[in-house]
Structures are given as C-alpha cells and as structure tokens.
Amino acid sequence: MQQEEIWDVDAARGYDTPGTGMFAPEVLGPTVDRLAELAGDGRALEFAIGTGRVAVPLAERGVPVTGIELSPPMIDQLRTKADEATIPVIAGDMATALAPGKYTLVYLVFNTISNLLTQAEQVECFRNAARHLTPGGRFVIELWVPELRKLPPGQQAMVWHCEPGYIGLDTYDVLRQHVVSHHFRFGESKQAQLFRSPHRYIWPTELDLMAQLAGFELETRHADWAGADFTAESRSHVSVYRIPPDPAQPQLPQDFQRAVATAASRPSSQIVPEYLTHRPLP
C-alpha cells in the first residue's frame, strides 16, 4: 500500500482530534514552544505538514511556516484552518520536493520519517532538509525507539496499547526493519474499524549516521519536547541536528541563546543575576 492510498479523504477527515491525543495541550504546547525557540527569527519548513497540527499554532506564534505534504486530502484539511498566504504548502514527497527559499529550521514530527520505507529514502530526507537550511540551521526529528525488546522470541506481533474502544497492535518484519501499525477502533456493535500504516523503524544510532551522510551534526537529544533526559528506557526521542555554521559568523552556545531568549520575556531586574552570569561570553 502506497502512502497516497493510506492518507486518503477518510484518513484526513478523521485525523484531527482537538484537545485529545496528539492534539492535547500538554502534548502540542511543548512541541510548539521548542520549535519556536529553535526557529528564532527565521523561517520554518515542516516536512509532512499534514493537517497543520503543529504548523498552525507555530504560525500563530509569529514563525513563518511553509510545508511539504504528499497527500492532497491532508492539504485540503489544512486549508480549512489556514490559507495559502498564511501557510504555503508544496505538494510532493518530503524526500525530494523543494520549497522556495532558505530556512533556519526544518522539522519532522510524530514518527513521520518512518513513513519512508527504505533506508535510501530516509537518507534522502536528511539531504533534502540540508539543502533547505541556512548555515547553522537545524533539522528536528521526533521518532519512537523500536521496542523489539518487548517482542517475545518467535513472535511477530505485539499489542502496544489497549483501552476501551481501541487496540494498537504492531507486526514486525525484523529482516527489513519494517513494522505495520494496526489501529482497531470499536464500539458496542460487533463491527470494528481498522486503520493500518507501514513504517521502517530506525535506531537512534542509525539516524545519527544518516545525519552525518547529509552533513549534519547531532546537537541535542532528549526523551521529549520538554527536555527530559534520553535514557535506555526512553520510548521516543526528539533529536536536533545542525548544519555547521558559517565560520565567518561566530555563534553563541545554544544553551546561552536559550537563556537569553527566556530572559527577554522576564522583568529586566531578573535578567542579570539569573541568566547572564551563568557563563561568560565566549
């Protein structure tokens, strides 16, 4: 099944779940906060922008956002929230499609790089991000950590979530690093709805190598958007990769930039003692 067939009109219409799941404020808020911080005063490009779950609130924060999206129905759904002038979208594959201009940030959230089903396509996605970025620009990926440790020996399927009215089940092909996610939704009747999506899972170290092949360096990796430590038990990660900056343009360390940005929103009396004495200027 091709991605164009998966993300059809029905999938697009049922994708948004305002206030719950991945649209819950406690999920979406930290995502937008971190991306706005990384974009700074520049422009952001979202690969696989979908219905605008992240792009719309990010644009509302004042960050100019452009998107690339393969599915016309998903673009149509986005257009019910923002017009072309507000959030331009290029229809195409995120591994190859080109958006006009340069960006300080390219981002790819909620495991979507795994929708590319070969290693070669995933590497090309990194290269496509690199060609859109200014020197010193960043590529952010949110991705789950493969949970093969939970897969019993000799079995190919694992239930990863179960609640009233919903069961999430994954089937694995460990030879090709493929997994198919099965989402069963049901009510009181005997009938159930099934939505399936194929993925190629990626280990964090493999992701880092893909980044290196495209000219990136790993800058940070956390377990979530709020900055929790990434450990051996983390189920997902938010990885920030960076194109080396122009040597002619000196750069402040990222944690110093973050401190200054945070301080700018506080009363001036708090800025010097709390932030600017943390470390000397380089």
Side-chain angles (χ1 to χ4, degrees):
M1 182 177 292
Q2 301 297 313
Q3 293 294 330
E4 299 94 323
E5 300 173 294
I6 296 170
W7 303 106
D8 58 11
V9 172
D10 290 338
R13 287 176 178 171
Y15 189 80
D16 291 4
T17 57
T20 63
M22 61 182 171
F23 286 81
E26 63 270 21
V27 175
L28 194 53
T31 304
V32 175
D33 288 346
R34 182 73 171 123
L35 291 173
E37 175 189 327
L38 290 170
D41 296 329
R43 304 164 64 211
L45 174 63
E46 180 172 1
F47 284 178
I49 195 171
T51 65
R53 178 182 74 96
V54 174
V56 170
L58 186 60
E60 290 172 350
R61 291 279 293 271
V63 178
V65 181
T66 298
I68 292 175
E69 174 56 48
L70 184 65
S71 165
M74 297 290 271
I75 298 175
D76 291 342
Q77 195 67 23
L78 168 60
R79 286 288 164 254
T80 66
K81 310 172 190 178
D83 60 22
E84 179 70 17
T86 303
I87 302 179
V89 177
I90 289 80
D93 188 328
M94 61 184 170
T96 56
L98 297 177
K102 292 290 184 178
Y103 303 83
T104 59
L105 177 69
V106 177
Y107 64 95
L108 181 52
V109 298
F110 216 75
N111 307 320
T112 311
I113 192 171
S114 68
N115 289 2
L116 300 170
L117 299 182
T118 69
Q119 187 183 69
E121 289 175 307
Q122 291 168 347
V123 170
E124 283 305 309
C125 183
F126 271 93
R127 288 177 173 148
N128 200 28
R131 64 176 61 102
H132 283 94
L133 286 169
T134 59
R138 294 177 173 94
F139 183 30
V140 182
I141 293 181
E142 178 187 22
L143 186 61
W144 96 98
V145 177
E147 297 189 296
L148 268 64
R149 290 186 297 173
K150 296 182 179 180
L151 192 65
Q155 294 193 26
Q156 295 179 309
M158 177 186 66
V159 175
W160 56 270
H161 191 79
C162 183
E163 63 181 51
Y166 175 80
I167 294 175
L169 172 71
D170 285 343
T171 54
Y172 284 84
D173 177 351
V174 296
L175 183 63
R176 297 190 298 160
Q177 288 186 211
H178 280 187
V179 58
V180 178
S181 291
H182 302 71
H183 304 268
F184 297 91
R185 291 181 172 84
F186 49 89
E188 297 297 327
S189 71
K190 296 186 293 184
Q191 303 297 318
Q193 291 182 325
L194 170 62
F195 179 81
R196 295 183 300 161
S197 58
H199 306 269
R200 182 184 184 272
Y201 59 84
I202 315 169
W203 300 101
T205 51
E206 182 187 9
L207 198 72
D208 294 348
L209 182 57
M210 293 179 181
Q212 290 179 38
L213 292 173
F216 287 98
E217 300 170 348
L218 176 65
E219 186 171 60
T220 62
R221 171 168 289 138
H222 294 100
D224 58 25
W225 290 99
D229 289 341
F230 180 73
T231 71
E233 303 306 316
S234 298
R235 298 185 62 186
S236 62
H237 60 96
V238 176
S239 296
V240 180
Y241 297 98
R242 194 179 189 193
I243 290 289
D246 185 342
Q249 299 294 325
Q251 301 287 317
L252 292 174
Q254 187 188 2
D255 59 347
F256 187 86
Q257 294 179 46
R258 184 184 303 181
V260 172
T262 305
S265 65
R266 298 203 174 188
S268 59
S269 61
Q270 298 180 16
I271 294 178
V272 172
E274 186 172 354
Y275 292 99
L276 297 187
T277 59
H278 176 64
R279 64 161 68 199
L281 284 170

